[in-house]
Amino acid sequence: MVHQAASEALKRFRVIDLTQVRAGPTACRQLADWGADVIQVQMPEHMRGDDTLGGQDGSDYQYTHRNKRSITLNLKEPEGIAALKRLIGTADVVVENFRPDVKYRLGIDYDSLCQDNPGLVYASISGFGQTGPYAKRPGFDQIAQGMSGLMSVTGIPGDAPMRVGIPIADLCAGIFAAQGILVALLEREASGKGQWLHTSLFESMIYMMDFQTSRFLIDGEVAKQAGNYHPTSIPTGVYKARDGYMNIAVFGSKIWERFCNILGMPEWVTDERYHDKASRSVNRDSLNAEINHRLAAQDRAYWIERFNEGGVACGVINNLQEVFEDPQLQHLNIVKDVVSDRLGKQRMVGQPVQLSRTPSSIARSAPLRGEHTTEILKDLGYDDTVLAQMKSHGVY
């Protein structure tokens, strides 16, 4: 089966995916979803480790590896390395998340490969970076969350540090790597040259700390846990109406005035305890208690309607079932259907960016390990006799 492009946008690019687990496969999925011919290189079945995100038929694996093709190659065999190099010779991009030293030992580092493919964009993803005192440490999402400071500002004040409920370090590293690849491909159009780019879970999380890092680097302030309340914009956080919890965000003096009027408390606008940002910060606890007292008189739907009419940002707090029942989500059509030959119809979240001429789609379900090995190797010029020899030698 030839490449089935999920979009016209990146259809002209070929990407070799040498990654496992989540960060690297996420980067490659981003490119595959926009039409790149992503060829996932996996170990043969008899050599594989625990790299399949819960098994090839599991929802996690199916979601992460959609829109890709799969080839198996034994990179411990010279013939496997030779086949990989031939494949890379046809590619625009290589993405890898080996330990930093492995690519050099295998002879598939950027400096080695760019001799024969000077336009190659080579992306490396690691736990902590390619060099430095932590370079050889194993990377793991929650470790990066903790070391970046994220867990120190997450959770209820006074409680233990709290991880984020998704693998945010893996996901962000993958998305930043994909962005870096696209930047390098754009630059290549001017220079004609590829380049090596690298990112890490640790760097990605440091960047994602955003205003918390600027509060420290510029203001010298070490942020602490703020729970469900925004650390600097008050009142912003989780509040309880008569029938349950909701989020409310009040930014700026004009929105604060509207908020007070909707709650039936216009006197708060001039109350010395609450009249400006500084006073609301000092008296946060008493203000939040009073807000909850007022909200308890009505259900969330009542307040959401009133606040939205008044231009005050707010919303319910959904569980995942409620998320996919939400009329706005359904209107945006972000859930896409794909049919797997083995597993039948599947539903998955598609890309969150909408392009008018070259939209993303899910053109094919995740491949079986090595599903496209023969067709890809034949495209590279291997004939049936050589393929049979390679198979017997355990090369794929």
Side-chain angles (χ1 to χ4, degrees), residues 155-160 225:
I156 303 299
D159 280 2
Q225 292 166 308

Side-chain angles (χ1 to χ4, degrees), residues 297-353:
Q298 299 287 347
D299 289 346
R300 288 175 298 178
Y302 171 86
W303 291 118
I304 288 171
E305 182 178 359
R306 296 286 304 280
F307 286 138
N308 278 308
E309 287 175 352
V312 177
C314 64
V316 295
I317 299 173
N318 289 323
N319 63 32
L320 279 174
Q321 179 176 334
E322 292 165 336
V323 170
F324 289 99
E325 292 172 347
D326 188 288
Q328 182 65 22
L329 177 140
Q330 294 174 0
H331 170 79
L332 293 171
N333 195 33
I334 196 172
V335 177
K336 307 296 184 182
D337 293 334
V338 64
V339 177
S340 165
D341 291 340
R342 303 186 328 279
L343 305 174
K345 182 177 178 181
Q346 300 174 328
R347 300 173 69 230
M348 298 181 186
V349 173
Q351 285 292 319
V353 180

Side-chain angles (χ1 to χ4, degrees), residues 108-125:
I108 54 172
D109 56 284
Y110 172 70
D111 288 338
S112 298
L113 296 174
C114 73
Q115 302 301 315
D116 296 323
N117 188 351
L120 183 67
V121 172
Y122 190 104
S124 297
I125 305 173

Side-chain angles (χ1 to χ4, degrees), residues 59-225:
S59 58
D60 199 359
Y61 186 88
Q62 290 293 308
Y63 176 69
T64 302
H65 294 290
R66 69 198 188 196
N67 286 330
K68 302 178 185 180
R69 295 194 286 169
S70 173
I71 181 175
T72 54
L73 287 174
N74 181 355
L75 301 186
K76 294 183 178 181
E77 293 287 339
E79 291 173 278
I81 291 293
L84 176 61
K85 288 183 175 180
R86 188 185 293 194
L87 179 60
I88 290 172
T90 70
D92 301 278
V93 178
V94 168
V95 187
E96 62 88 14
N97 63 352
F98 299 119
R99 293 191 314 273
D101 60 313
V102 170
K103 53 184 166 287
Y104 297 101
R105 178 163 50 80
L106 295 175
I108 54 172
D109 56 284
Y110 172 70
D111 288 338
S112 298
L113 296 174
C114 73
Q115 302 301 315
D116 296 323
N117 188 351
L120 183 67
V121 172
Y122 190 104
S124 297
I125 305 173
S126 62
F128 297 97
Q130 296 297 302
T131 58
Y134 301 161
K136 293 185 179 180
R137 288 189 181 186
F140 190 77
D141 176 88
Q142 188 161 335
I143 307 304
Q145 286 194 35
M147 293 180 68
S148 68
L150 177 60
M151 290 175 64
S152 76
V153 299
T154 306
I156 303 299
D159 280 2
M162 182 68 67
R163 69 180 290 276
V164 176
I166 57 172
I168 191 168
D170 282 334
L171 297 175
C172 289
I175 292 170
F176 287 141
Q179 181 185 37
I181 290 165
L182 295 175
V183 171
L185 288 172
L186 281 171
E187 193 279 336
R188 190 180 73 172
E189 293 182 358
S191 68
K193 299 177 181 179
Q195 57 184 306
W196 182 29
L197 64 100
H198 47 86
T199 188
S200 67
L201 277 63
F202 187 50
E203 291 166 281
S204 296
M205 283 298 89
I206 296 294
Y207 185 85
M208 290 300 292
M209 289 297 287
D210 197 69
F211 72 93
Q212 300 287 30
T213 60
S214 64
R215 289 173 72 190
F216 174 72
L217 293 172
I218 297 173
D219 302 331
E221 181 179 348
V222 178
K224 298 179 180 179
Q225 292 166 308

